[in-house]
Amino acid sequence: GIRDLASSLVGSEMCIRDRVGAPLTAWLHYHHEMAYVGKSTRVISFLAKDTVPDRGATYVSDSIAATDALLATEFGQKLKRLGICYHRDLTDRDAYADQPGYGVYNHWQKSFSTDDPAVAARKARSRRLAVDWGPDRLMRTRYYCSAFEYFPGLDRNVLYSSVADHGMWFDTWPLVQHLPYSERPLDLTFGDDTPLTRDELQQFVDVYDQFGTKVDWRRGDVGIVCNYRFAHGRPGIHLQDGERRQLGVVLGEQYDRVGTPTDKW
């Protein structure tokens, strides 16, 4: 079946899940999978279960071309110099037990597969996340790293971050899009904790859009994407009655991020 085919193509260390974390109507900005933690994945694969003929494409962007274009700008050099910080707030499932319609991004119990906050914090710190706790057992994490990552395949540093981990990720997310940015579950700052300006965020969006390529899906298709070489994303999808669009996702071999060696630019 599709799962066996993907396994033979990608490798043995993987998991498979339905791509149901994000609503179909939400716009998913270009991103590299698992860039917001210290252990990332080398490859991501998509498995088309249900498709629509004229909508529902995935887009991939050439991160090598985006790297070169961004480093030619003042903003790119600032990213190189300061790095970035991923801020992620994970809610407590029990605090929202009576609010099933509240559009939280994720509960820490689900993210770390435990009901014990001490275990969740230990798992988070093992992934190089700083952790503290807010009201209602809100788990607040931060991950400081380079905005780039060393890619062994080309022996060079490549862009490995995007606005997908900024609060604007939720601009089209039902039940969350109405929240002010200060209350959204994600934020992205420079490594010195200063915010990105609106112009800098626009440059971040534009550099990936400039090198994007459309990938249309037919039922049964398998797409394998190098997570270093390409970022991926998609526009919002609006289905008509009777239509389904569902992709499975296979994550390939995981690796510990090494950052950016100074001699690999």
Side-chain angles (χ1 to χ4, degrees):
I2 288 178
R3 179 172 181 172
D4 294 333
L5 174 59
S7 297
S8 67
L9 290 172
V10 181
S12 59
E13 296 184 27
M14 58 184 60
C15 63
I16 185 167
R17 57 186 170 86
D18 288 330
R19 190 73 165 179
V20 297
L24 279 178
T25 55
W27 187 290
L28 305 187
H29 294 282
Y30 283 115
H31 61 284
H32 299 268
E33 199 71 14
M34 298 172 64
Y36 50 84
V37 288
K39 187 178 287 292
S40 190
T41 183
R42 301 185 190 279
V43 175
I44 181 170
S45 297
F46 301 93
L47 311 122
K49 180 180 180 183
D50 297 297
T51 63
V52 287
D54 57 344
R55 279 156 293 130
T58 296
Y59 286 75
V60 295
S61 179
D62 183 348
S63 196
I64 307 305
T67 299
D68 294 338
L70 197 63
L71 285 174
T73 69
E74 181 179 344
F75 169 53
Q77 290 299 316
K78 186 178 178 180
L79 276 176
K80 177 182 175 181
R81 182 174 70 256
L82 295 180
I84 54 176
C85 180
Y86 296 96
H87 304 253
R88 302 175 71 84
D89 289 348
L90 300 172
T91 46
D92 174 57
R93 180 190 58 214
D94 298 335
Y96 291 86
D98 297 328
Q99 304 181 58
Y102 191 85
V104 297
Y105 179 63
N106 216 346
H107 299 308
W108 56 260
Q109 288 93 336
K110 179 179 179 181
S111 286
F112 295 102
S113 302
T114 181
D115 293 330
D116 187 334
V119 173
R122 185 165 63 249
K123 288 184 175 182
R125 292 179 179 121
S126 73
R127 300 176 190 178
R128 293 188 280 174
L129 301 176
V131 178
D132 64 71
W133 296 90
D136 297 321
R137 293 206 303 180
L138 179 71
M139 186 181 191
R140 298 183 296 214
T141 71
R142 298 174 306 286
Y143 176 53
Y144 293 90
C145 63
S146 174
F148 302 80
E149 180 68 16
Y150 174 66
F151 176 26
L154 290 179
D155 191 31
R156 61 167 293 182
N157 300 324
V158 298
L159 185 61
Y160 209 72
S161 57
S162 73
V163 300
D165 293 281
H166 186 271
M168 65 188 297
W169 173 258
F170 295 107
D171 282 352
T172 56
W173 194 290
L175 303 180
V176 184
Q177 59 191 18
H178 68 285
L179 295 174
Y181 274 36
S182 61
E183 297 180 19
R184 295 187 182 185
L186 301 181
D187 193 18
L188 182 73
T189 65
F190 288 107
D192 62 357
D193 294 324
T194 57
L196 281 72
T197 66
R198 182 178 180 86
D199 179 66
E200 289 167 338
L201 289 169
Q202 188 63 60
Q203 290 184 66
F204 226 169
V205 171
D206 291 345
V207 76
Y208 280 111
D209 283 347
Q210 184 179 353
F211 303 106
T213 299
K214 185 180 182 183
V215 179
D216 287 310
W217 297 108
R218 296 173 300 177
R219 180 176 173 83
D221 282 349
V222 175
I224 301 173
V225 180
C226 173
N227 198 39
Y228 296 100
R229 184 71 172 76
F230 296 96
H232 63 277
R234 63 158 173 80
I237 301 168
H238 299 271
L239 299 179
Q240 300 176 7
D241 290 343
E243 291 183 331
R244 287 173 56 87
R245 191 271 193 185
Q246 188 174 26
L247 300 185
V249 175
V250 177
L251 300 182
E253 178 189 4
Q254 293 190 356
Y255 74 96
D256 292 320
R257 292 191 59 181
V258 299
T260 50
T262 57
D263 60 342
K264 299 301 180 181
W265 292 103

